Amino acid sequence: MATQLGPRKLTTHQKTVLIQVLLVFPEQRVRIVYSPSASDGLFYAQEFLAIFKAIGWDVAEIESGEFPSAQSTGLAIVAREAESLPPAAEALRDALRIYTIDATIHFDPACNIPPGSFVLAIGS
């Protein structure tokens, strides 16, 4: 993994592209969890929260804590079952890849994620 030079931040252009890509998935349910050990975790989580709310997704407030299946990654998309990764989660991952932002995919059958929903986990 490359050494991070500064706090993670999405540019205005990146935010605009993410909004355009994700608009085609109305009413998606998503949770955002950030690691308190990540110095920029809350700020980065707030950026994604603003994007998700701008497109009308069903997203609760940001949660602080470690997400067990995604602790070691910088950014992860977590779903309950492999065959139920929502198309919106795939689109988010693919859009982030355009900007070389890696969001790993984790499946955690033991977690409490409703079907059709996913968690964006922000690690350190």
Side-chain angles (χ1 to χ4, degrees), residues 22-29 55-57:
L22 300 174
L23 266 174
V24 299
F25 303 99
E27 301 175 17
Q28 175 65 51
R29 291 180 64 195
I55 57 179
W57 281 11

Side-chain angles (χ1 to χ4, degrees), residues 8-10 29 34 54 57 60 64 71 76 83 101 117 119:
R8 293 172 284 188
K9 179 173 176 23
L10 296 172
R29 291 180 64 195
Y34 77 95
W57 281 11
S64 173
Q71 284 181 4
E83 60 274 358
I101 299 171
S117 183
V119 173

Side-chain angles (χ1 to χ4, degrees), residues 52-71:
F52 297 158
K53 285 190 171 190
I55 57 179
W57 281 11
D58 180 4
V59 57
E61 292 305 312
I62 299 167
E63 301 172 38
S64 173
E66 300 293 339
F67 206 86
S69 63
Q71 284 181 4

Side-chain angles (χ1 to χ4, degrees), residues 5 9 22 29 35-36 40 47 50-52 54 56 67 70 72 79 96 99 105-106 116 118 120:
L5 299 176
K9 179 173 176 23
L22 300 174
R29 291 180 64 195
S35 170
D40 63 352
E47 290 196 307
I51 290 167
F52 297 158
F67 206 86
S72 63
L96 290 169
Y99 301 106
I105 302 293
H106 294 276
F118 68 94
L120 179 65

